[in-house]
Amino acid sequence: APELMAPGAVLLRGFAGAVDAALLEAVAQVIAAAPLRHLVTPGGYTMTVAMSNCGALGWTSSRSGYRYTSTDPLSGQPWPPMPGCFADLALRAAAEAGFNDFRPDACLINRYEPGARLSLHQDRDESDLSAPIVSVSLGLPAVFLFGGTRRTDRPTRYQLVHGDVAVWGGPSRLAYHGVAPLAEGEHPRLGRQRINLTFRCAA
Ligand code: MD3
Ligand code: FE
């Protein structure tokens, strides 16, 4: 049953479990064409999370800022197309949370190894903030930090495990959030890593 974390924020535990093999095969295809890489922030820090994208637009960061691009800066080629199993899962999860006709044009792939973390931030580089973000967790478990709309709001901690899907829309769309440093572990399918997919309407 969908679990309400906050207004507009819905957790669907295990929702991706039945299609995990197809998702992981598609991830492997995407990152063969657009390799995972550690981006540099505008402040000059190298992110501990490695990232890639698929879909019409992809999120990137460099010394000059954060932005969505239609091509991979590493290759100059368009980002790999969004796999059908990605688009289908995102559409079904959003509908389950009450957001109909979710058609994301961007999927950011985040790869965490033990120790990798994502500090508290808002996702506000998308032009359509009325659309939710759908996230899918695969591999090692993570502690997800879910704050409020002010950076100083004390975050609530949620454990996210392999197959969990969350939908972040409405009043939660601009909530601060992050991921605590990934603990050591070995996942039967993915080994020492966690993969997170986030589906966005960026254009
Ligand atoms: C709540 N990724 O890629 S997914 C990100 O686990 C990001 O890799 C995390 O934050 C990860 O930007 C968290 C959950 C998530 C994603 C987007 C949100 C939660 C959100 C946007 C608004 C509110
Ligand atoms: Fe985020």
Side-chain angles (χ1 to χ4, degrees):
E3 203 174 306
L4 195 62
M5 294 183 277
V10 176
L11 179 54
L12 305 167
R13 293 195 194 268
F15 193 81
V19 293
D20 63 345
L23 296 176
L24 290 171
E25 192 166 314
V27 167
Q29 281 191 21
V30 169
I31 65 180
L36 293 163
R37 79 290 309 257
H38 292 273
L39 297 170
V40 176
T41 66
Y45 293 96
T46 299
M47 298 181 76
T48 55
V49 178
M51 299 180 169
S52 185
N53 295 275
C54 59
L57 292 171
W59 187 87
T60 58
S61 175
S62 71
R63 282 309 302 241
S64 45
Y66 306 123
R67 62 202 185 99
Y68 280 95
T69 61
S70 56
T71 56
D72 179 349
L74 277 185
S75 66
Q77 295 296 120
W79 294 105
M82 179 99 62
C85 63
F86 279 26
D88 175 73
L89 177 70
L91 177 77
R92 289 190 296 110
E96 197 76 10
F99 297 93
N100 289 318
D101 307 314
F102 180 59
R103 307 257 179 229
D105 54 16
C107 174
L108 175 63
I109 301 175
N110 292 153
R111 196 273 318 273
Y112 297 75
E113 292 178 323
R117 62 190 290 270
L118 197 58
S119 55
L120 276 189
H121 66 278
Q122 291 175 300
D123 290 13
R124 50 187 309 162
D125 298 326
E126 300 74 26
S127 54
D128 182 5
L129 295 175
S130 72
I133 289 180
V134 171
S135 75
V136 179
S137 292
L138 298 166
L140 288 176
V143 173
F144 173 71
L145 310 169
F146 184 52
T149 47
R150 286 170 306 203
R151 191 185 288 280
T152 50
D153 294 338
R154 146 105 81 124
T156 303
R157 300 162 78 89
Y158 291 91
Q159 164 127 280
L160 294 179
V161 307
H162 181 81
D164 287 350
V165 178
V167 181
W168 317 89
S172 291
R173 179 63 180 77
L174 288 176
Y176 279 89
H177 59 279
V179 177
L182 198 77
E184 261 309 335
E186 181 81 21
H187 186 271
R189 309 290 282 272
L190 274 151
R192 288 175 77 250
Q193 55 182 340
R194 168 177 187 259
I195 301 273
N196 180 266
L197 311 174
T198 49
F199 296 93
R200 302 138 185 276
C201 293

